[in-house]
Amino acid sequence: MPAILEPFHAISISTIAHRLKAEGRDVIHMEFGQPSTGAPAAAIAAAHRVLDNDPMGYWQSDALKARIVRHYAETCGATIAPEQVILTNGASPALVMALSLLFDPGARVAIARPGYVAYRNNLLALFMEPVELPCGPDERYQITAAALEAVDPAPDGVILASPANPTGTVIAADELARIVAVCKARGIRLVSDEIYHGITYGEPALSVAGLDPEALIVNSFSKYFSMAGWRLGWLIVPPALVTQAMARMGNLFLTPPSLAQHAGLIAFDCRDELEGHVATYARNRDLLLAALPELGLQRIAPPDGAFYIWADIGHLTDDSLAFCERLVRDTGVCTAPGIDFDPVEGRRYFRMSFAVSTPLVEEAIARMKPWFAAQKKD
């Protein structure tokens, strides 16, 4: 029997928002984790040149692989061969490939709860068992080495995300090293989702590539590079898995878009423009953190990175889906219900993405202040 997956409930809230917009309502989209900015200007210009001069086709860019190798050497001292870089159609196929490379059906894979909805659903779709580890304020909403060591029997694998979705929390460097040590000691295969690397508000997030050459690293151009619609990502695999990784890529997905690969190579060196985006996210974050107490939101995850606020609304509701629907209908501010990310405690949480312009964040705060003040416990 095929696995039965829960829907991504944020999509249903977004659908309501788009209907409201079609009716003439002004909507602020904070439900999805996608930058409101486009690809860097130089990357777009390069894409235009390619469109005029190259018929394109199925292709994996050696130049882009070499640039990614250089990136890891410069940022974390990791020595990676170009053939270990598998270019993918975004991070989602990279995750599917990583899981199918490492694990058989029935494998038990640890994930944080709350965590990205697709981790749980990809595992279920591949007939694997998600082992959800509850991660609250005491753990800074992240898997710890101690929690991973306590799982009995040891899971076959673990998916880490730092910065994380939906919380934005970052695993400290010393704790990440302890997690890697536990994985090595217990034979736990590690998949590190590093899609939000580059978007932090303190110390940069550390790549597992510099700690564990056997780990599989997932990354993408969708977040820091502001290229979500270009569908381009990559998967780093150890040498022993290169042949099977390429076989999966070729059979399941062929190649990522040629145009996106040309643009991605240029985007890697558009740092000034991209850091400008991060500076905007930092301003938006500061605005929300200052406003949250006035909304009555006192308990949130520390947004060390990414562009999310994960907030406890349990004093107002135990039905986050209905809460987000009321919020968008009443104010036009569209957010994501916590049940997408935590099937147990998520009914009392919601997530806001601040990857929009600063004026839109200011407007969202202005709309939400009176609305939250008028709310009573369901």
Side-chain angles (χ1 to χ4, degrees):
M1 287 284 292
I4 304 299
L5 306 184
E6 286 292 316
F8 195 174
H9 296 286
I11 294 174
S12 67
I13 302 297
S14 187
T15 299
I16 294 170
H18 282 287
R19 287 176 185 155
L20 293 173
K21 187 173 183 179
E23 295 168 2
R25 291 280 301 280
D26 184 52
V27 173
I28 300 174
H29 287 282
M30 304 177 77
E31 73 272 34
F32 293 137
Q34 59 183 16
S36 59
T37 49
I44 293 174
H48 279 294
R49 291 193 296 271
V50 171
L51 279 171
D52 291 336
N53 299 290
D54 187 342
M56 293 180 284
Y58 302 132
W59 178 56
Q60 288 240 353
S61 169
D62 289 337
L64 181 54
K65 290 185 177 189
R67 185 63 185 84
I68 292 169
V69 166
R70 180 180 139 202
H71 166 73
Y72 284 100
E74 292 173 347
T75 57
C76 65
T79 301
I80 297 168
E83 58 268 21
Q84 292 177 250
V85 180
I86 316 299
L87 301 176
T88 64
N89 309 63
S92 296
L95 178 64
V96 170
M97 289 168 56
L99 296 175
S100 70
L101 277 165
L102 290 178
F103 308 118
D104 294 325
R108 299 168 61 252
V109 180
I111 57 175
R113 178 172 58 77
Y116 180 42
V117 59
Y119 299 154
R120 182 187 333 116
N121 283 335
N122 272 285
L123 289 166
L124 291 171
L126 293 168
F127 300 98
M128 299 170 188
E129 180 185 347
V131 179
E132 294 190 312
L133 304 184
C135 302
D138 292 344
E139 298 83 21
R140 300 186 76 257
Y141 298 91
Q142 282 281 7
I143 289 176
T144 64
L148 200 55
E149 196 164 29
V151 179
D152 185 25
D156 299 289
V158 61
I159 302 173
L160 298 181
S162 173
N165 179 7
T167 60
T169 54
V170 170
I171 302 174
D174 57 349
E175 183 64 22
L176 190 61
R178 285 191 286 269
I179 290 171
V180 169
V182 168
C183 288
K184 289 180 178 177
R186 304 194 76 194
I188 302 169
R189 295 304 301 263
L190 198 161
V191 177
S192 181
D193 182 352
E194 301 181 358
I195 192 172
Y196 294 101
H197 276 214
I199 307 174
T200 55
Y201 309 107
E203 291 297 314
L206 185 64
S207 175
V208 171
L211 299 173
D212 183 3
E214 293 301 308
L216 275 65
I217 312 296
V218 172
N219 211 323
S220 169
F221 283 82
S222 293
K223 309 300 182 182
Y224 176 75
F225 294 96
S226 197
M227 294 175 64
W230 295 73
R231 307 315 305 137
L232 181 63
W234 69 87
L235 176 67
I236 307 294
V237 301
L241 295 178
V242 167
T243 299
Q244 277 300 301
M246 286 302 296
R248 280 164 172 74
M249 184 62 205
N251 281 286
L252 295 175
F253 308 107
L254 289 177
T255 66
S258 295
L259 188 65
Q261 294 180 69
H262 286 290
L265 178 61
I266 303 302
F268 246 109
D269 295 312
C270 296
R271 295 291 171 170
D272 288 346
E273 185 175 347
L274 297 170
E275 288 300 312
H277 298 335
V278 177
T280 296
Y281 304 149
R283 287 194 295 273
N284 295 349
R285 171 183 178 269
D286 290 345
L287 284 168
L288 284 165
L289 290 179
L292 290 175
E294 296 181 52
L295 272 61
L297 302 178
Q298 304 288 344
R299 297 179 296 278
I300 69 163
D304 306 318
F307 29 61
Y308 301 119
I309 296 291
W310 176 250
D312 188 338
I313 50 174
H315 60 296
L316 297 174
T317 187
D318 60 2
D319 185 347
S320 58
L321 182 60
F323 180 90
C324 290
E325 181 174 340
R326 288 202 312 273
L327 179 61
V328 71
R329 290 190 186 279
D330 292 349
T331 69
V333 178
C334 191
T335 58
I339 54 171
D340 275 333
F341 310 97
D342 185 339
V344 179
E345 299 293 335
R347 65 190 185 280
R348 54 178 291 149
Y349 285 85
F350 82 142
R351 189 196 73 177
M352 292 182 283
S353 167
F354 51 85
V356 295
S357 69
T358 299
L360 284 179
V361 170
E362 292 171 334
E363 176 62 20
I365 291 170
R367 295 183 193 183
M368 288 191 296
K369 278 184 179 179
W371 188 86
F372 269 85
Q375 297 307 299
K376 294 182 169 44
K377 173 75 176 181
D378 287 350

